[in-house]
Amino acid sequence: MEYTVKKLGEIAGVSTRTLRYYDEIELLKPARTNSSGYRIYGQKEVDRLQQILFYKELGVRLDEIKDILDDPTFDAAQALREHREILMSRRTQLDQLIANVEKTLRVKEGEVTMSDKEKFEGFKKRMVDENEKKYGDEVREKYGDKKVDESNARVMNMSLEDHEKVTGLEREIKETLETAFQNGDPASDTAQKAADLHRQWISFYWGHYNKEAHAGLAQMYVDDERFKAYYDADQDGMAEFLRDAIHIYTGQKR
């Protein structure tokens, strides 16, 4: 079965403009161009587009998708298994959120009561799942399954007060770090305040504090492209600046 760019766009639910852009960046090239100049796509291209859309749905950037699909060791069947696992996890999270909404409606209608902890179950599960998806492999390799599982359990058992505090700390770290970054000195009082806020934040997840582990995590923010992209999203060099501030804070750098 072969498709023109228009027909493929219709069955895949994407615009012809998107498919042309994928051709331009060599993410999805047509199988051939016919005598009339129309792009023609075959089964191989259809299967590749399906993988592209799967990865896009999971939040992977187009340049990363291209690297993944162009890798000679890419295994389409294994990729589908991984997609299924992630989607199953998402379905579990959505089921929890739906159940949460339904129960909240029943509370509003006076049918049942609901604890504050129950109100946030679905959101905490999403936090755990997103962290596992983005950083799970690296963190588990560095710190071990036991510590990561304990951290996830602490998140799921957070009280409403703890949940509000940890999300507030995350915002305060970002704001303080941005201010400190402007003067360029990781040893400044503001930068050291950001490092201390970061200590408080990770302690919620770790359940303890260790200077060496804190410094190691800061280094991972620079070494791992996904962590680095998160901190450098608004300003290049932010990950390195936070790393330096934390290394000074922990006595690793003077």
Side-chain angles (χ1 to χ4, degrees):
M1 192 74 173
E2 291 189 329
Y3 302 94
T4 62
V5 67
K6 181 180 179 181
K7 187 63 177 178
L8 180 59
E10 288 174 354
I11 65 171
V14 298
S15 68
T16 55
R17 181 179 180 181
T18 294
L19 292 175
R20 292 190 181 99
Y21 177 64
Y22 289 172
D23 183 5
E24 289 174 13
I25 64 174
E26 300 188 344
L27 177 60
L28 180 68
K29 302 290 292 182
R32 61 187 178 87
T33 302
N34 68 13
S35 57
S36 300
Y38 290 107
R39 296 174 173 84
I40 303 297
Y41 298 84
Q43 192 60 56
K44 180 180 176 182
E45 290 71 39
V46 171
D47 292 344
R48 184 176 173 99
L49 178 58
Q50 182 191 40
Q51 289 288 354
I52 291 168
L53 297 180
F54 275 138
Y55 280 113
K56 271 195 69 181
E57 182 65 25
L58 298 176
V60 182
R61 298 198 316 267
L62 293 181
D63 59 333
E64 293 177 338
I65 296 174
K66 185 177 186 304
D67 289 341
I68 292 168
L69 299 183
D70 289 346
D71 189 329
T73 64
F74 176 73
D75 184 334
Q78 180 59 33
L80 288 171
R81 293 187 193 98
E82 292 171 358
H83 294 325
R84 180 180 60 190
E85 288 178 10
I86 294 171
L87 292 171
M88 291 288 284
S89 177
R90 280 191 177 183
R91 185 171 72 178
T92 299
Q93 179 200 331
L94 286 172
D95 287 344
Q96 287 182 329
L97 288 172
I98 291 168
N100 191 295
V101 170
E102 289 176 344
K103 189 168 184 179
T104 302
L105 283 172
R106 293 176 67 196
V107 170
K108 296 296 183 185
E109 293 164 358
E111 296 180 18
V112 297
T113 59
M114 189 178 192
S115 70
D116 287 339
K117 181 180 177 183
E118 288 178 295
K119 293 176 183 178
F120 290 91
E121 289 302 315
F123 298 105
K124 290 188 289 188
K125 181 67 166 61
R126 181 180 64 185
M127 186 188 301
V128 168
D129 289 346
E130 287 180 350
N131 283 336
E132 282 283 356
K133 181 180 74 174
K134 291 179 180 177
Y135 314 119
D137 291 344
E138 290 79 8
V139 175
R140 286 181 179 277
E141 181 178 350
K142 187 172 183 65
Y143 298 106
D145 288 338
K146 182 179 178 182
K147 287 189 180 297
V148 175
D149 290 340
E150 288 174 351
S151 175
N152 289 342
R154 275 190 290 275
V155 172
M156 293 304 298
N157 289 321
M158 271 185 189
S159 66
L160 172 59
E161 181 181 355
D162 284 344
H163 185 269
E164 290 177 343
K165 186 171 182 179
V166 77
T167 52
L169 274 172
E170 192 169 0
R171 288 193 299 270
E172 193 175 358
I173 289 167
K174 190 173 188 295
E175 292 167 0
T176 306
L177 186 62
E178 288 175 351
T179 300
F181 187 76
Q182 298 306 311
N183 69 31
D185 181 8
S188 70
D189 290 345
T190 309
Q192 290 305 291
K193 179 183 177 182
D196 185 66
L197 289 167
H198 192 270
R199 172 193 61 78
Q200 296 175 49
W201 181 67
I202 61 172
S203 294
F204 264 98
Y205 297 98
W206 290 358
H208 67 283
Y209 179 69
N210 178 277
K211 286 186 176 182
E212 289 72 23
H214 192 188
L217 180 63
Q219 185 61 49
M220 189 191 297
Y221 289 167
V222 175
D223 295 340
D224 187 285
E225 288 300 322
R226 282 166 293 182
F227 282 105
K228 192 172 188 297
Y230 172 80
Y231 284 102
D232 285 359
D234 297 322
Q235 182 69 56
D236 287 342
M238 191 76 79
E240 287 89 346
F241 184 83
L242 177 59
R243 185 267 318 274
D244 291 346
I246 291 172
H247 280 190
I248 292 168
Y249 180 84
T250 58
Q252 305 297 309
K253 179 178 180 179
R254 297 189 183 279

